[in-house]
Amino acid sequence: MGKVGAAGGSPARLSALLAGAGLLVLCVPGACGGGSCCPQLPPGSAPRWAPTPGGFLRPGPRGRAAATPLPLLGRPLFAVAPGDRALSLERAPGTGASEAVAPRSGRRRRSEAGPGKAERGEGASRSPRGVLRDGGQQEPGTLERDPDKATRFRMEELRLTSTTFALTGDSAHNQAMVHWSGHNSSVILILTKLYDYNLGSITESSLWRSTDYGTTYEKLNDKVGLKTILSYLYVCPTNKRKIMLLTDPEIESSLLISSDEGATYQKYRLNFYIQSLLFHPKQEDWILAYSQDQKLYSSAEFGRRWQLIQEGVVPNRFYWSVMGSNKEPDLVHLEARTVDGHSQYLTCRMQNCTEANRNKPFPGYIDPDSLIVQDDYVFVQLTSGGRPHYYVSYRRNAFAQMKLPKYALPKDMHVISTDENQVFAAVQEWNQNDTYNLYISDTRGVYFTLALENVQSSRGPEGNIMIDLYEVAGIKGMFLANKKIDNQVKTFITYNKGRDWRLLQAPDTDLRGDPVHCLLPYCSLHLHLKVSENPYTSGIIASRDTAPSIIVASGNIGSELSDSDISMFVSSDAGNTWRQIFEEEHSVLYLDQGGVLVAMKHTSLPIRHLWLSFDEGRSWSKYSFTSIPLFVDGVLGEPGEETLIMTVFGHFSHRSEWQLVKVDYKSIFDRRCAEEDYRPWQLHSQGEACIMGAKRIYKKRKSERKCMQGKYAGAMESEPCVCTEADFDCDYGYERHSNGQCLPAFWFNPSSLSKDCSLGQSYLNSTGYRKVVSNNCTDGVREQYTAKPQKCPGKAPRGLRIVTADGKLTAEQGHNVTLMVQLEEGDVQRTLIQVDFGDGIAVSYVNLSSMEDGIKHVYHNVGIFRVTVQVDNSLGSDSAVLYLHVTCPLEHVHLSLPFVTTKNKEVNATAVLWPSQVGTLTYVWWYGNNTEPLITLEGSISFKFTSEGMNTITVQVSAGNAILQDTKTIAVYEEFRSLRLSFSPNLDDYNPDIPEWRRDISRVIKKSLVEATGIPSQHILVAVLPGLPTAAELFVLPFQDPTGENKQSAEDLEQISELLIHKLNQNSVHFELKPGVQILVHAAHLTAAPLVDLTPTHSGSAMLMLLSVVFVGLAVFVIYKFKRKIPGINVYAQMQNEKEREMVSRVSHPESRAHIPQTELRRPGQLIDEKVECQLIGSISIVAENQSTKEIPTYVNV
């Protein structure tokens, strides 16, 4: 990921994907620790963008504890817990307009900088589990049909009960912060401020308090100090009676604390400047404070006394412990910078955070600004080898690397959600620019599968990444997302956490009742999903937990989402059908648990009317809320269960005081609703009643009844459904094909999941499916699709590797070097491991688990040490070697070598460096089974292989204190044939040009050739070449059984070659790269000599060109005459040691090859008698890490 994070302030990474750091989390108010993850400015600094007219409050985020002030035009406000109401307003200087910022309901998912599959069908399968019944009367448990198509408007003006109060003396104040306590409290607090844009500071402030629901207000400046300038207002999330005011640090640094809802205050001096506060989710007196000099303080007395916890803390990267995941409620998680600038993850107790008592849950350093602690999960990011790697800890257990599909290769990641024991992440892959793929994890957050591809993204005003994904409140598993398809953005909906997506059906009629001709999939409804900090920005969407079926959003009807011709739409049946309600953008507020919808037009003009709907948006009535038109700055609804009082904030002109209009809706109702006023309503998706494995029936007020609902009752009943295939998604490593089956991806080996098993234990053997998390279905196919426990097979050790912890091949003399032993397969509990450090010291271990933290060793001498590791169990053994250079750093070298050679003939190996001028070099060569290296001062060597088979060659180059290495494998046979292969052009779209991908594709191509021709696999070797367009070399090899008999002749190879060419020319060789992507394999040219392996940055492969004697003579003469004038020729001549050899150059264009007729190609016997010299054309890319690439040739089980 860029950085790990939550959607919001900057790009998210697991460690810190904010602002290009690497993990990303979405910007949900109060969702991030250490302050909001939304962009914020230090107290007293100026906003970064100008306000616009108007404002409207949305309910606060669900299930989030208050943290720090929410952004006010780029500055913090206060975070609001459920039941709170808070609003921040701001006027632009010299205008009559104001700005309102407030928490919202639902959640538009963003990622922190630090967060799928394409639609899988137009709808869920229709089974008898829940169906629509005909008839006008809806029966209990049936699905609703609305015969009324047109939205009705009552133009007769009605009057609401309201009172107006002016904040006298504050006409110049251009910012306001509002808090309504709620929980049956009538107290409202308002902090108004004059922000001087020229000085960049607050010059005046006033504090107002109401005890009668906003009818009247009292000015409290005398109680806090007439000369005191206040900057921020904070409210304790667990005790709304406790209030904290922060003074302007440019005047004084102090806190004013109230324990009686702001009636009285005590002032406490501070010796540091507070930038943000984080309240404990349970303990009302526990607070963390982050200072402007990056120090973290704690208080156990609600700010009356403070204690330093840690210096050098990364902004917004500190968190309280999560109840249930941490045993100690006073545990603090934080990311701190060391003296040398590295970041590390620390935990400690709030009152005892000394060096001796700090813990480091993640070993070593992490990427800067990447720590995320959210619910049961902890995320960090660590970059190595130029690629970010993301790690997760579930319920504070050991960290595990997050597993995305093998070739996702993320550039940026945003953690979107960690609800319901599952991680949603938005990943920008290597081939994406303005879109992200949505992934969903298993319970531990380790294995991720694709949920939706190409989700639209944008940047917020502070540069933060915004992902167009919205979680609908009140309905588990329901999301809306904007997906980019062929440069068109379309809105999709899912009811099962991304397993299935479909387009939104447009309304049947428009606002006037005229029919709308919109046919899926060519035309549909598209919604704006951006929940901006500025509520007057286009793109409003709202939903509420207490009104689970109602969604209000702005959007348009057509082939794609548009920023013009925006209308307002409402769905009263959870997104199945939609109704147009306004032709212009409005802000909509939910009152009385969604029983009343209040709409106010977005306009820069003063207004005195609003619209009310008592039947979920089917009809609207016009009401006046003030006798004098008002510039509306914001609207705040009463917290609590009934929500029937609303305060409108505004002003009559830019020079007038703030006007507070209290609107009481209780007078509209003459009674409370009784049982007979409700009807049952069943949640469904296009007629399918089983949603997330259950049928849910809710209680709704009848549309014709105008009564007050009061307390929200929730679902009337919930009944589990029988499990079907629709309740299961594809497991990690599997992809859903067109027939609906989940089959292994080409890069995935299902047996690899058992590699960590020990004999006698068991593991879960995947069926290719996994149940959607939080799905409540029972029985049915659950047993068939659920992973089965299986005894671990006894396995001999395989895939043994020994590496250094940092991936380097060097160590400093006299310092610890940590060696990691990695085993791909084998019984880890019954294994004997012997490690020889190569300096006369050796150690033994009885199992791999005792070596999880690595093996530390100190070398006291400088040199090259051969570190060997031997692993044995009852079924076999394996060994690995590491050549460790002490006190020598690493760089990059490329080993140029033929793919295949003939037995007993000289092979030229050349080490090519970048940059080429690096001073004195020492070359160390390891080849064959030699235990001693060959050390030279030349970059090329020649050698012979006397036996057939596969041989590995390693070259290490020492340049001063720098070491570089490359490893290649060469096949040795007496005779062979080679054939150039090309592919369908669409393969290039999926080619990330990395060695792992080439190895996997080589294996797939070989399998396709064997299946198409019936030729035994031992005869075929395939090597995909680096660069674009994608090309490969096919080698036809002889094969003999272990007794040495039945060896193929040259004629046999010719016959095999002819068969291969015949099948390739008939287009009989093809493979499926992924569902719906077919790749055709073509033949190019047949040659009898080995081709030369070129550098990774070249776009073509090596090709043998036979030059005439006259041309060679002329070339030698020209080089001799001009070599002193051409530095490149001099360098080449020196590297080749002045030997006269035949040159093999690389052809970069297909047309060049087309002019070489097959008859001019020599037979193997002619070619192997000649000395072949390799010349490298082009540049060589620098590789960040120095390790064995084993990239080319990419062989497959010869």
Side-chain angles (χ1 to χ4, degrees), residues 51-55 89-100 173-174 603-605 631-633 650-651 653-655 658:
T52 56
L89 312 171
E90 181 162 354
R91 294 187 201 169
T95 70
S98 298
E99 176 88 10
H173 290 193
N174 54 10
T603 177
S604 58
L605 301 175
F631 289 98
V632 176
D633 302 316
H651 53 285
S653 70
H654 71 275
R655 297 185 181 277
W658 293 92

PDB file of all heavy atoms in Angstrom, residues 51-55 89-100 173-174 603-605 631-633 650-651 653-655 658:
ATOM      1  N   PRO A  51     -14.723  28.623   2.595  1.00  0.00           N
ATOM      2  CA  PRO A  51     -16.071  28.068   2.830  1.00  0.00           C
ATOM      3  C   PRO A  51     -17.033  28.428   1.716  1.00  0.00           C
ATOM      4  O   PRO A  51     -16.807  29.337   0.941  1.00  0.00           O
ATOM      5  CB  PRO A  51     -16.473  28.712   4.147  1.00  0.00           C
ATOM      6  CG  PRO A  51     -15.716  29.995   4.178  1.00  0.00           C
ATOM      7  CD  PRO A  51     -14.434  29.743   3.469  1.00  0.00           C
ATOM      8  N   THR A  52     -18.132  27.689   1.674  1.00  0.00           N
ATOM      9  CA  THR A  52     -19.206  27.966   0.727  1.00  0.00           C
ATOM     10  C   THR A  52     -20.498  28.059   1.503  1.00  0.00           C
ATOM     11  O   THR A  52     -20.562  27.657   2.670  1.00  0.00           O
ATOM     12  CB  THR A  52     -19.308  26.840  -0.308  1.00  0.00           C
ATOM     13  OG1 THR A  52     -19.492  25.603   0.374  1.00  0.00           O
ATOM     14  CG2 THR A  52     -18.064  26.769  -1.153  1.00  0.00           C
ATOM     15  N   PRO A  53     -21.555  28.554   0.917  1.00  0.00           N
ATOM     16  CA  PRO A  53     -22.779  28.794   1.680  1.00  0.00           C
ATOM     17  C   PRO A  53     -23.422  27.514   2.174  1.00  0.00           C
ATOM     18  O   PRO A  53     -23.310  26.465   1.573  1.00  0.00           O
ATOM     19  CB  PRO A  53     -23.694  29.485   0.654  1.00  0.00           C
ATOM     20  CG  PRO A  53     -22.784  29.987  -0.410  1.00  0.00           C
ATOM     21  CD  PRO A  53     -21.630  29.049  -0.437  1.00  0.00           C
ATOM     22  N   GLY A  54     -24.146  27.646   3.281  1.00  0.00           N
ATOM     23  CA  GLY A  54     -25.032  26.601   3.744  1.00  0.00           C
ATOM     24  C   GLY A  54     -24.419  25.587   4.660  1.00  0.00           C
ATOM     25  O   GLY A  54     -23.266  25.661   5.020  1.00  0.00           O
ATOM     26  N   GLY A  55     -25.197  24.572   5.062  1.00  0.00           N
ATOM     27  CA  GLY A  55     -24.702  23.505   5.909  1.00  0.00           C
ATOM     28  C   GLY A  55     -25.834  22.661   6.427  1.00  0.00           C
ATOM     29  O   GLY A  55     -26.930  23.144   6.608  1.00  0.00           O
ATOM     30  N   LEU A  89     -19.374  25.400  12.361  1.00  0.00           N
ATOM     31  CA  LEU A  89     -19.778  26.315  11.316  1.00  0.00           C
ATOM     32  C   LEU A  89     -18.672  27.304  11.046  1.00  0.00           C
ATOM     33  O   LEU A  89     -17.897  27.649  11.922  1.00  0.00           O
ATOM     34  CB  LEU A  89     -21.049  27.086  11.725  1.00  0.00           C
ATOM     35  CG  LEU A  89     -22.187  26.233  12.293  1.00  0.00           C
ATOM     36  CD1 LEU A  89     -23.262  27.130  12.847  1.00  0.00           C
ATOM     37  CD2 LEU A  89     -22.749  25.345  11.210  1.00  0.00           C
ATOM     38  N   GLU A  90     -18.647  27.821   9.793  1.00  0.00           N
ATOM     39  CA  GLU A  90     -17.665  28.847   9.472  1.00  0.00           C
ATOM     40  C   GLU A  90     -18.181  29.711   8.346  1.00  0.00           C
ATOM     41  O   GLU A  90     -18.742  29.215   7.381  1.00  0.00           O
ATOM     42  CB  GLU A  90     -16.323  28.222   9.067  1.00  0.00           C
ATOM     43  CG  GLU A  90     -15.286  29.264   8.748  1.00  0.00           C
ATOM     44  CD  GLU A  90     -13.896  28.682   8.781  1.00  0.00           C
ATOM     45  OE1 GLU A  90     -13.763  27.518   9.163  1.00  0.00           O
ATOM     46  OE2 GLU A  90     -12.965  29.395   8.407  1.00  0.00           O
ATOM     47  N   ARG A  91     -18.010  31.007   8.477  1.00  0.00           N
ATOM     48  CA  ARG A  91     -18.374  31.945   7.419  1.00  0.00           C
ATOM     49  C   ARG A  91     -17.144  32.368   6.655  1.00  0.00           C
ATOM     50  O   ARG A  91     -16.089  32.574   7.233  1.00  0.00           O
ATOM     51  CB  ARG A  91     -19.007  33.211   7.994  1.00  0.00           C
ATOM     52  CG  ARG A  91     -20.338  33.015   8.681  1.00  0.00           C
ATOM     53  CD  ARG A  91     -20.892  34.369   9.024  1.00  0.00           C
ATOM     54  NE  ARG A  91     -21.885  34.268  10.086  1.00  0.00           N
ATOM     55  CZ  ARG A  91     -22.374  35.318  10.717  1.00  0.00           C
ATOM     56  NH1 ARG A  91     -21.957  36.522  10.414  1.00  0.00           N
ATOM     57  NH2 ARG A  91     -23.267  35.161  11.654  1.00  0.00           N
ATOM     58  N   ALA A  92     -17.296  32.556   5.359  1.00  0.00           N
ATOM     59  CA  ALA A  92     -16.214  33.129   4.569  1.00  0.00           C
ATOM     60  C   ALA A  92     -16.148  34.609   4.859  1.00  0.00           C
ATOM     61  O   ALA A  92     -17.164  35.260   5.049  1.00  0.00           O
ATOM     62  CB  ALA A  92     -16.461  32.902   3.087  1.00  0.00           C
ATOM     63  N   PRO A  93     -14.965  35.176   4.941  1.00  0.00           N
ATOM     64  CA  PRO A  93     -14.841  36.588   5.251  1.00  0.00           C
ATOM     65  C   PRO A  93     -15.489  37.447   4.176  1.00  0.00           C
ATOM     66  O   PRO A  93     -15.294  37.255   2.987  1.00  0.00           O
ATOM     67  CB  PRO A  93     -13.312  36.808   5.281  1.00  0.00           C
ATOM     68  CG  PRO A  93     -12.754  35.683   4.485  1.00  0.00           C
ATOM     69  CD  PRO A  93     -13.677  34.543   4.690  1.00  0.00           C
ATOM     70  N   GLY A  94     -16.304  38.379   4.651  1.00  0.00           N
ATOM     71  CA  GLY A  94     -16.887  39.356   3.741  1.00  0.00           C
ATOM     72  C   GLY A  94     -18.038  38.849   2.919  1.00  0.00           C
ATOM     73  O   GLY A  94     -18.430  39.471   1.939  1.00  0.00           O
ATOM     74  N   THR A  95     -18.639  37.722   3.288  1.00  0.00           N
ATOM     75  CA  THR A  95     -19.781  37.203   2.546  1.00  0.00           C
ATOM     76  C   THR A  95     -20.915  36.956   3.505  1.00  0.00           C
ATOM     77  O   THR A  95     -20.774  37.022   4.718  1.00  0.00           O
ATOM     78  CB  THR A  95     -19.438  35.878   1.854  1.00  0.00           C
ATOM     79  OG1 THR A  95     -19.282  34.868   2.848  1.00  0.00           O
ATOM     80  CG2 THR A  95     -18.168  35.991   1.045  1.00  0.00           C
ATOM     81  N   GLY A  96     -22.043  36.659   2.953  1.00  0.00           N
ATOM     82  CA  GLY A  96     -23.188  36.352   3.789  1.00  0.00           C
ATOM     83  C   GLY A  96     -23.396  34.889   3.963  1.00  0.00           C
ATOM     84  O   GLY A  96     -24.433  34.459   4.412  1.00  0.00           O
ATOM     85  N   ALA A  97     -22.412  34.084   3.609  1.00  0.00           N
ATOM     86  CA  ALA A  97     -22.568  32.635   3.657  1.00  0.00           C
ATOM     87  C   ALA A  97     -21.712  32.044   4.745  1.00  0.00           C
ATOM     88  O   ALA A  97     -20.749  32.625   5.182  1.00  0.00           O
ATOM     89  CB  ALA A  97     -22.210  32.020   2.317  1.00  0.00           C
ATOM     90  N   SER A  98     -22.079  30.858   5.188  1.00  0.00           N
ATOM     91  CA  SER A  98     -21.321  30.150   6.208  1.00  0.00           C
ATOM     92  C   SER A  98     -21.147  28.713   5.798  1.00  0.00           C
ATOM     93  O   SER A  98     -21.766  28.233   4.871  1.00  0.00           O
ATOM     94  CB  SER A  98     -22.025  30.220   7.565  1.00  0.00           C
ATOM     95  OG  SER A  98     -22.121  31.556   8.003  1.00  0.00           O
ATOM     96  N   GLU A  99     -20.312  28.029   6.551  1.00  0.00           N
ATOM     97  CA  GLU A  99     -19.964  26.639   6.248  1.00  0.00           C
ATOM     98  C   GLU A  99     -20.323  25.795   7.449  1.00  0.00           C
ATOM     99  O   GLU A  99     -20.084  26.208   8.576  1.00  0.00           O
ATOM    100  CB  GLU A  99     -18.466  26.550   5.986  1.00  0.00           C
ATOM    101  CG  GLU A  99     -17.986  25.159   5.771  1.00  0.00           C
ATOM    102  CD  GLU A  99     -18.091  24.776   4.334  1.00  0.00           C
ATOM    103  OE1 GLU A  99     -18.349  25.638   3.494  1.00  0.00           O
ATOM    104  OE2 GLU A  99     -17.933  23.585   4.069  1.00  0.00           O
ATOM    105  N   ALA A 100     -20.871  24.626   7.240  1.00  0.00           N
ATOM    106  CA  ALA A 100     -21.168  23.714   8.333  1.00  0.00           C
ATOM    107  C   ALA A 100     -20.483  22.399   8.088  1.00  0.00           C
ATOM    108  O   ALA A 100     -20.480  21.892   6.984  1.00  0.00           O
ATOM    109  CB  ALA A 100     -22.671  23.492   8.457  1.00  0.00           C
ATOM    110  N   HIS A 173     -18.003  37.232  14.373  1.00  0.00           N
ATOM    111  CA  HIS A 173     -17.459  35.886  14.514  1.00  0.00           C
ATOM    112  C   HIS A 173     -17.816  35.046  13.294  1.00  0.00           C
ATOM    113  O   HIS A 173     -18.964  35.016  12.856  1.00  0.00           O
ATOM    114  CB  HIS A 173     -17.992  35.238  15.789  1.00  0.00           C
ATOM    115  CG  HIS A 173     -17.434  35.859  17.042  1.00  0.00           C
ATOM    116  ND1 HIS A 173     -17.567  35.284  18.282  1.00  0.00           N
ATOM    117  CD2 HIS A 173     -16.754  37.018  17.239  1.00  0.00           C
ATOM    118  CE1 HIS A 173     -16.990  36.049  19.190  1.00  0.00           C
ATOM    119  NE2 HIS A 173     -16.493  37.120  18.571  1.00  0.00           N
ATOM    120  N   ASN A 174     -16.822  34.375  12.755  1.00  0.00           N
ATOM    121  CA  ASN A 174     -17.021  33.617  11.511  1.00  0.00           C
ATOM    122  C   ASN A 174     -16.863  32.109  11.684  1.00  0.00           C
ATOM    123  O   ASN A 174     -16.884  31.377  10.707  1.00  0.00           O
ATOM    124  CB  ASN A 174     -16.056  34.112  10.435  1.00  0.00           C
ATOM    125  CG  ASN A 174     -14.604  34.100  10.890  1.00  0.00           C
ATOM    126  OD1 ASN A 174     -14.286  33.560  11.948  1.00  0.00           O
ATOM    127  ND2 ASN A 174     -13.735  34.706  10.101  1.00  0.00           N
ATOM    128  N   THR A 603     -28.550  26.077  -1.388  1.00  0.00           N
ATOM    129  CA  THR A 603     -28.608  27.344  -2.088  1.00  0.00           C
ATOM    130  C   THR A 603     -27.790  28.374  -1.348  1.00  0.00           C
ATOM    131  O   THR A 603     -27.619  28.286  -0.118  1.00  0.00           O
ATOM    132  CB  THR A 603     -30.063  27.838  -2.226  1.00  0.00           C
ATOM    133  OG1 THR A 603     -30.078  29.122  -2.856  1.00  0.00           O
ATOM    134  CG2 THR A 603     -30.740  27.940  -0.868  1.00  0.00           C
ATOM    135  N   SER A 604     -27.262  29.350  -2.069  1.00  0.00           N
ATOM    136  CA  SER A 604     -26.541  30.458  -1.442  1.00  0.00           C
ATOM    137  C   SER A 604     -27.470  31.604  -1.098  1.00  0.00           C
ATOM    138  O   SER A 604     -27.041  32.624  -0.546  1.00  0.00           O
ATOM    139  CB  SER A 604     -25.442  30.959  -2.390  1.00  0.00           C
ATOM    140  OG  SER A 604     -26.003  31.377  -3.621  1.00  0.00           O
ATOM    141  N   LEU A 605     -28.771  31.446  -1.410  1.00  0.00           N
ATOM    142  CA  LEU A 605     -29.762  32.488  -1.116  1.00  0.00           C
ATOM    143  C   LEU A 605     -30.425  32.208   0.228  1.00  0.00           C
ATOM    144  O   LEU A 605     -30.486  31.070   0.688  1.00  0.00           O
ATOM    145  CB  LEU A 605     -30.821  32.520  -2.224  1.00  0.00           C
ATOM    146  CG  LEU A 605     -30.303  32.786  -3.644  1.00  0.00           C
ATOM    147  CD1 LEU A 605     -31.439  32.667  -4.646  1.00  0.00           C
ATOM    148  CD2 LEU A 605     -29.642  34.154  -3.726  1.00  0.00           C
ATOM    149  N   PHE A 631     -29.944  32.943   5.793  1.00  0.00           N
ATOM    150  CA  PHE A 631     -28.818  32.216   5.207  1.00  0.00           C
ATOM    151  C   PHE A 631     -28.501  31.041   6.143  1.00  0.00           C
ATOM    152  O   PHE A 631     -28.080  31.253   7.281  1.00  0.00           O
ATOM    153  CB  PHE A 631     -27.585  33.115   5.079  1.00  0.00           C
ATOM    154  CG  PHE A 631     -27.692  34.168   4.028  1.00  0.00           C
ATOM    155  CD1 PHE A 631     -28.050  35.472   4.356  1.00  0.00           C
ATOM    156  CD2 PHE A 631     -27.434  33.862   2.700  1.00  0.00           C
ATOM    157  CE1 PHE A 631     -28.142  36.447   3.381  1.00  0.00           C
ATOM    158  CE2 PHE A 631     -27.521  34.831   1.716  1.00  0.00           C
ATOM    159  CZ  PHE A 631     -27.882  36.135   2.051  1.00  0.00           C
ATOM    160  N   VAL A 632     -28.726  29.824   5.682  1.00  0.00           N
ATOM    161  CA  VAL A 632     -28.569  28.652   6.545  1.00  0.00           C
ATOM    162  C   VAL A 632     -27.107  28.207   6.549  1.00  0.00           C
ATOM    163  O   VAL A 632     -26.512  27.967   5.496  1.00  0.00           O
ATOM    164  CB  VAL A 632     -29.473  27.502   6.077  1.00  0.00           C
ATOM    165  CG1 VAL A 632     -29.221  26.249   6.921  1.00  0.00           C
ATOM    166  CG2 VAL A 632     -30.932  27.917   6.158  1.00  0.00           C
ATOM    167  N   ASP A 633     -26.549  28.100   7.764  1.00  0.00           N
ATOM    168  CA  ASP A 633     -25.173  27.645   7.925  1.00  0.00           C
ATOM    169  C   ASP A 633     -25.097  26.187   8.367  1.00  0.00           C
ATOM    170  O   ASP A 633     -24.106  25.518   8.128  1.00  0.00           O
ATOM    171  CB  ASP A 633     -24.445  28.507   8.963  1.00  0.00           C
ATOM    172  CG  ASP A 633     -24.457  29.970   8.589  1.00  0.00           C
ATOM    173  OD1 ASP A 633     -24.208  30.267   7.414  1.00  0.00           O
ATOM    174  OD2 ASP A 633     -24.741  30.814   9.462  1.00  0.00           O
ATOM    175  N   GLY A 650     -27.875  30.101  11.377  1.00  0.00           N
ATOM    176  CA  GLY A 650     -27.703  30.939  10.207  1.00  0.00           C
ATOM    177  C   GLY A 650     -27.569  32.403  10.580  1.00  0.00           C
ATOM    178  O   GLY A 650     -27.264  32.762  11.723  1.00  0.00           O
ATOM    179  N   HIS A 651     -27.805  33.278   9.600  1.00  0.00           N
ATOM    180  CA  HIS A 651     -27.693  34.713   9.800  1.00  0.00           C
ATOM    181  C   HIS A 651     -28.507  35.399   8.721  1.00  0.00           C
ATOM    182  O   HIS A 651     -28.729  34.850   7.635  1.00  0.00           O
ATOM    183  CB  HIS A 651     -26.232  35.155   9.759  1.00  0.00           C
ATOM    184  CG  HIS A 651     -25.500  34.706   8.531  1.00  0.00           C
ATOM    185  ND1 HIS A 651     -25.080  33.404   8.355  1.00  0.00           N
ATOM    186  CD2 HIS A 651     -25.145  35.376   7.406  1.00  0.00           C
ATOM    187  CE1 HIS A 651     -24.480  33.287   7.174  1.00  0.00           C
ATOM    188  NE2 HIS A 651     -24.511  34.461   6.577  1.00  0.00           N
ATOM    189  N   SER A 653     -27.722  38.447   7.405  1.00  0.00           N
ATOM    190  CA  SER A 653     -26.773  39.049   6.481  1.00  0.00           C
ATOM    191  C   SER A 653     -25.377  38.784   7.018  1.00  0.00           C
ATOM    192  O   SER A 653     -25.214  38.304   8.139  1.00  0.00           O
ATOM    193  CB  SER A 653     -27.020  40.560   6.344  1.00  0.00           C
ATOM    194  OG  SER A 653     -26.657  41.229   7.550  1.00  0.00           O
ATOM    195  N   HIS A 654     -24.365  39.140   6.206  1.00  0.00           N
ATOM    196  CA  HIS A 654     -23.016  38.833   6.648  1.00  0.00           C
ATOM    197  C   HIS A 654     -22.585  39.705   7.814  1.00  0.00           C
ATOM    198  O   HIS A 654     -21.575  39.441   8.447  1.00  0.00           O
ATOM    199  CB  HIS A 654     -22.038  38.967   5.477  1.00  0.00           C
ATOM    200  CG  HIS A 654     -21.801  40.370   5.031  1.00  0.00           C
ATOM    201  ND1 HIS A 654     -22.645  41.002   4.138  1.00  0.00           N
ATOM    202  CD2 HIS A 654     -20.824  41.261   5.347  1.00  0.00           C
ATOM    203  CE1 HIS A 654     -22.199  42.220   3.909  1.00  0.00           C
ATOM    204  NE2 HIS A 654     -21.090  42.403   4.634  1.00  0.00           N
ATOM    205  N   ARG A 655     -23.324  40.734   8.127  1.00  0.00           N
ATOM    206  CA  ARG A 655     -22.983  41.595   9.256  1.00  0.00           C
ATOM    207  C   ARG A 655     -23.855  41.323  10.481  1.00  0.00           C
ATOM    208  O   ARG A 655     -23.671  41.951  11.523  1.00  0.00           O
ATOM    209  CB  ARG A 655     -23.119  43.074   8.873  1.00  0.00           C
ATOM    210  CG  ARG A 655     -22.150  43.491   7.772  1.00  0.00           C
ATOM    211  CD  ARG A 655     -22.230  45.002   7.520  1.00  0.00           C
ATOM    212  NE  ARG A 655     -21.312  45.401   6.451  1.00  0.00           N
ATOM    213  CZ  ARG A 655     -20.021  45.651   6.629  1.00  0.00           C
ATOM    214  NH1 ARG A 655     -19.490  45.521   7.843  1.00  0.00           N
ATOM    215  NH2 ARG A 655     -19.256  46.002   5.622  1.00  0.00           N
ATOM    216  N   TRP A 658     -25.202  35.579  14.754  1.00  0.00           N
ATOM    217  CA  TRP A 658     -25.694  34.224  14.504  1.00  0.00           C
ATOM    218  C   TRP A 658     -27.143  34.131  14.972  1.00  0.00           C
ATOM    219  O   TRP A 658     -27.493  34.548  16.081  1.00  0.00           O
ATOM    220  CB  TRP A 658     -24.856  33.196  15.283  1.00  0.00           C
ATOM    221  CG  TRP A 658     -23.431  33.071  14.829  1.00  0.00           C
ATOM    222  CD1 TRP A 658     -22.366  33.749  15.313  1.00  0.00           C
ATOM    223  CD2 TRP A 658     -22.938  32.217  13.810  1.00  0.00           C
ATOM    224  NE1 TRP A 658     -21.214  33.367  14.665  1.00  0.00           N
ATOM    225  CE2 TRP A 658     -21.532  32.414  13.727  1.00  0.00           C
ATOM    226  CE3 TRP A 658     -23.512  31.289  12.950  1.00  0.00           C
ATOM    227  CZ2 TRP A 658     -20.720  31.744  12.839  1.00  0.00           C
ATOM    228  CZ3 TRP A 658     -22.712  30.612  12.069  1.00  0.00           C
ATOM    229  CH2 TRP A 658     -21.336  30.836  12.006  1.00  0.00           C
TER     230      TRP A 658
END
